[in-house]
Amino acid sequence: MFPTTIAGSLPKPAWLAEPGKLWPQWRLAGADLEAGKLDATLVALKLQEDAGVDVVCDGEQSRQHFVHGFLEFVEGIDFAHKVEMGIRNNRYKAMVPTVTGALKLKGRVHATEARFARAHTGKQLKITMPGPMTIIDTIADAHYGDRVKMAFAFADLLNAEARALERDGVDVIQFDEPAFNVYMNHVPAWGIEAIHRAIDGLKCATAVHICYGYGIKANVDWKATLGGEWRQYEEIFPALAASRISQVSVECRNARVPVELLSLLKGKDVAVGVIDVATDQIETPEDVAATIEAVLKHVPKERIVASTNCGMAPMHRDIARAKLQALGAGAALARERYA
Ligand SMILES: [Zn+2]
């Protein structure tokens, strides 16, 4: 009852990468960097296990950014000449690489960290990858001339990596689609179909993570413009409910999302964000249990997973660790009360 997981990322140790940044520079190079990534992965696993997290992640310690960590392994992309692009419907500007040729994987993307994590934890293991819609919103195109066609080309690559991750012993494969909350009409039009392409042939659990973004200023400012009720989920949940995805991960804690919208995810496991990543204030176990209690009225209890609202990559490590503890303790409290 109420198993726990995290959206995906954890802050990196300062000896590995610049702290407090979403696009940090590595502080190691060459073989030291490769070893450091795995050492940090071990720390990330241990912190989750100690906090009582049931479905653990590698903490995304091996990637610089949640989208570009995948793109680095793709042929057909020019990283040398980055261009400025407004992303998430111009919410912020980012320097992005350009697709200049047919897309192809250079080889495995997450094999090293996934196999390492598999070897060092007995818990269920989740690996996250960016979803097709979010990828094409974070890269320029000078080859396909059609962004949806490009999204499906990326979906094929994601599928190849996802199938290999399943063979590596990964239990849950999650696609991060913050863009679903921005381009709502694209979700039923082609977003779900692209995710179906990405999960084709998988037998393991599959998840889609949607949220209102990390706690960076651009996102906090954007949320302030969304009004008293955030109803974006209302437009996309029916399509997700009708999809073949097994789990949907959404932001809840401190979100102005009307909690009854979660009832639209009928038949899906719902990973409920009970930890806000946009504030350094640490939730109490009571806060976590209260969020779960509110969701219980709209989602069957056996379908509720307790999670974080989004990745914790840009947070202070001590804050993230305390929030992990609150997640584990709060879910335990909810189990006592509502199981
Ligand atoms: Zn997120």
Side-chain angles (χ1 to χ4, degrees):
M1 187 68 57
F2 310 139
T4 50
T5 191
I6 60 173
S9 67
L10 287 173
K12 295 183 181 76
W15 47 260
L16 177 64
E18 293 176 295
K21 291 197 177 168
L22 204 48
W23 302 64
Q25 293 302 309
W26 296 114
R27 283 182 163 167
L28 300 172
D32 289 343
L33 175 59
E34 295 317 306
K37 287 174 176 178
L38 296 184
D39 292 345
T41 301
L42 208 49
V43 174
L45 292 172
K46 175 74 171 142
L47 291 176
Q48 291 171 83
E49 290 186 358
D50 287 352
V53 174
D54 301 299
V55 181
V56 298
C57 296
D58 68 335
E60 301 181 11
Q61 302 293 297
S62 296
R63 47 186 113 165
Q64 210 171 7
H65 179 264
F66 86 99
V67 176
H68 291 184
F70 185 83
L71 300 185
E72 279 171 36
F73 293 84
V74 180
E75 264 178 40
I77 299 176
D78 181 1
F79 275 93
H81 308 97
K82 289 194 177 156
V83 296
E84 192 179 75
M85 188 169 109
I87 69 174
R88 310 296 174 267
N89 203 14
N90 273 323
R91 192 188 317 159
Y92 43 92
K93 298 225 182 292
M95 295 302 290
V96 300
T98 304
V99 173
T100 53
L103 296 165
K104 193 172 161 241
L105 281 183
K106 292 174 188 171
R108 286 297 310 277
V109 180
H110 297 303
T112 306
E113 59 267 33
R115 289 172 184 170
F116 183 83
R118 183 67 293 161
H120 290 282
T121 183
K123 300 274 187 181
Q124 283 202 36
L125 177 64
K126 176 166 86 175
I127 295 287
T128 64
M129 291 191 283
M133 189 183 292
T134 299
I135 291 179
I136 64 148
D137 194 45
T138 319
I139 192 164
D141 174 32
H143 177 76
Y144 285 89
D146 176 340
R147 298 191 74 77
V148 176
K149 195 173 159 199
M150 184 165 78
F152 280 88
F154 275 115
D156 286 336
L157 307 188
L158 291 165
N159 182 244
E161 177 64 15
R163 286 174 183 235
L165 285 168
E166 182 179 67
R167 289 195 294 275
D168 291 334
V170 172
D171 302 286
V172 184
I173 294 175
Q174 174 181 298
F175 294 97
D176 297 330
E177 285 284 32
F180 272 20
N181 240 2
V182 182
Y183 307 106
M184 281 81 76
N185 57 336
H186 293 182
V187 174
W190 62 266
I192 299 290
E193 200 186 332
I195 291 280
H196 280 167
R197 186 83 73 91
I199 67 170
D200 184 54
L202 295 181
K203 286 168 210 74
C204 67
T206 55
V208 170
H209 167 73
I210 308 154
C211 67
Y212 291 84
Y214 292 114
I216 58 171
K217 187 174 180 304
N219 293 337
V220 174
D221 292 348
W222 171 60
K223 291 185 194 187
T225 69
L226 295 177
E229 279 201 336
W230 301 348
R231 303 197 76 97
Q232 284 78 9
Y233 290 162
E234 192 168 28
E235 296 179 49
I236 60 178
F237 279 180
L240 283 159
S243 75
R244 295 199 298 274
I245 297 146
S246 42
Q247 182 182 104
V248 182
S249 159
V250 289
E251 174 171 333
C252 256
R253 169 73 178 164
N254 291 340
R256 289 189 214 141
V257 175
V259 71
E260 63 269 20
L261 295 186
L262 297 179
S263 64
L264 297 172
L265 289 172
K266 210 165 184 304
K268 300 300 165 195
D269 289 341
V270 183
V272 176
V274 296
I275 298 290
D276 186 359
V277 302
T279 172
D280 285 349
Q281 198 183 337
I282 313 296
E283 285 78 3
T284 64
E286 283 290 342
D287 293 332
V288 169
T291 305
I292 293 171
E293 187 188 9
V295 171
L296 272 171
K297 299 184 190 87
H298 308 285
V299 180
K301 59 185 173 185
E302 64 278 7
R303 290 222 172 259
I304 297 176
V305 178
S307 184
T308 57
N309 275 358
C310 187
M312 296 202 274
M315 302 194 89
H316 295 286
R317 292 185 82 202
D318 50 350
I319 302 280
R321 191 165 61 235
K323 283 182 177 263
L324 282 179
Q325 293 286 345
L327 171 64
L333 182 62
R335 259 170 240 136
E336 263 172 44
R337 285 185 186 162
Y338 313 118

